[in-house]
Amino acid sequence: MENNIKKQLISGIIVKSVAIIASIYGIMRTTSGIMTFTYFTNLSNIAVDMILFTFLLLDIRALTGRTEIKAKPNILYIIKFMLTISITLTFLVYMFLLAPTNETGILHSYFDNYAGSFCVHFVTPVLAIMDFFLFDYLYKSTPVHALYATIPPLVYVVYVVIAGYSGVRWNGTMYAPYNFLNFGAATGWFGYDLSKLGSESLGIGVAYMIIVLLLIFIGIGFMYLKIKDIRNKVVMKQSSYE
């Protein structure tokens, strides 16, 4: 086995392992009942753990010589791409929308529960993103795949809306787990009142937030695929000189 390939496999195994361990620790520290698993944070962490573990096993098999060194099935790359975008959503939404509006403050929102929140909202997302850029450059993608980035969050929104209209409540009064999805707030689906900004509402109608977030994530999807393609060209060029 070539040294560069071996080093890459080992590096990938380390990054994936740390990401999974951090995620499991964070989920354990922040879990407080069955409702905890209705939050996109935990669902996206669990999903990305599963795909990272799948890739981890494939890398270990390749490193130990039990399988050939070759690209994984492209369907696995597509799933991993979609889940990487989902964990990016967890990372960005918490950093820019939820932590700043948390009544306990930004630092406390991350480091409460012995840094459990920091692990699921920062450590695992960052490592999963790094893993995608560094080790998934063989993924054969098309621009259409960027649209796939919207599938997991849209499925989640449908689930939350159905649960909310069915009578499920978060924190006693909220129709959704997050303030930007709380269609039961004063601003509802299409309202606008920044004076309502707080832990239960962003002061902006949920429909507007969904549209904005979908556009952002399609954009992120395109950007991730472009960076992945650049990485592919760099690695292939380096390989040609070896």
Side-chain angles (χ1 to χ4, degrees), residues 34 73 122:
I34 191 65
F122 190 90

Side-chain angles (χ1 to χ4, degrees), residues 25 29-30 94 99 102 104-123:
Y25 169 79
R29 295 304 317 180
T30 57
Y94 196 82
N102 191 295
T104 61
I106 294 177
L107 285 179
H108 188 274
S109 70
Y110 273 108
F111 293 99
D112 191 20
N113 294 317
Y114 300 94
S117 180
F118 182 66
C119 286
V120 294
H121 291 114
F122 190 90
V123 178

